[in-house]
């Protein structure tokens, strides 16, 4: 049951929507992930070479690359902080790096790193802005380059 009042999402609704987004990511489901985003989403992965993307279709390339670079991933939420139609999610990602995640050669090695998401929701509950910081130092320590 949705518990929105005058466009304000409850913590439970934000959790449900974020967990659905992470679930699509865990299944490498590009269409599912994109469906959680607003049509005019601002998608900003800090440090991503292409920079921020605007709109669902402009965001597609990031997820297609990500799903080639990382596999068998699972998220563990460590902490969430909430505000009016936004949340901050501190998570741990664990899986494997068969490609070149964030420009680093993975070689199929196991990988674990933290992410910090700042998520703003539109009044209808879609993700209007996704801003992500990745612990690149942890990635570099686990995937040393030759």
């Amino acid at each position: 049951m949705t518990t929105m009042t005058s466009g304000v999402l409850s913590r439970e609704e934000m959790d449900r929507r974020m967990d659905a987004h992470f679930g699509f990511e865990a299944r490498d489901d590009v269409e599912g992930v994109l469906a959680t985003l607003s049509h005019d989403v601002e998608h900003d992965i800090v440090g991503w070479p292409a920079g921020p993307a605007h709109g669902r279709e402009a965001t597609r390339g990031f997820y297609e690359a990500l799903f080639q670079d990382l596999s068998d991933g699972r998220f563990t939420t460590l902490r969430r902080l909430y505000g009016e139609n936004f949340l901050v999610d501190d998570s741990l990602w664990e899986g494997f790096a068969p490609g070149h995640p964030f420009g680093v050669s993975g070689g199929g090695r196991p990988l674990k790193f933290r992410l910090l998401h700042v998520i703003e929701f539109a009044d209808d509950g879609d993700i209007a802005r996704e801003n992500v910081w990745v612990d690149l130092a942890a990635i570099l320590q686990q995937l040393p380059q030759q």
Side-chain angles (χ1 to χ4, degrees), residues 48-107:
W48 186 249
H54 298 277
R56 279 185 184 168
E57 284 308 309
T59 302
R60 177 183 297 279
F62 169 78
Y63 286 105
E64 289 172 345
L66 182 70
F67 297 157
Q68 290 178 9
D69 291 337
L70 298 173
S71 68
D72 300 322
R74 61 192 173 281
F75 281 96
T76 302
T77 295
L78 304 174
R79 176 179 297 191
R80 284 189 176 158
L81 304 172
Y82 303 87
E84 188 170 307
N85 283 359
F86 77 88
L87 69 78
V88 178
D89 179 276
D90 179 9
S91 290
L92 178 68
W93 186 92
E94 296 178 79
F96 294 90
H100 290 81
F102 309 101
V104 179
S105 178

Side-chain angles (χ1 to χ4, degrees), residues 8-57:
V8 177
L9 276 67
S10 68
R11 287 182 176 195
E12 293 78 16
E13 183 67 10
M14 287 188 273
D15 283 343
R16 186 182 72 72
R17 291 173 181 271
M18 198 69 225
D19 293 344
H21 180 82
F22 285 162
F24 289 124
E25 286 184 351
R27 293 187 297 280
D28 295 348
D29 183 343
V30 173
E31 297 306 321
V33 171
L34 294 178
T36 67
L37 307 175
S38 66
H39 289 283
D40 60 348
V41 66
E42 179 185 338
H43 191 262
D44 183 11
I45 310 303
V46 175
W48 186 249
H54 298 277
R56 279 185 184 168
E57 284 308 309

Side-chain angles (χ1 to χ4, degrees), residues 105-125:
S105 178
R109 292 175 281 182
L111 183 60
K112 176 171 37 174
F113 59 91
R114 288 183 52 196
L115 301 112
L116 184 70
H117 287 78
V118 178
I119 302 293
E120 295 178 37
F121 295 94
D123 286 345
D124 66 0

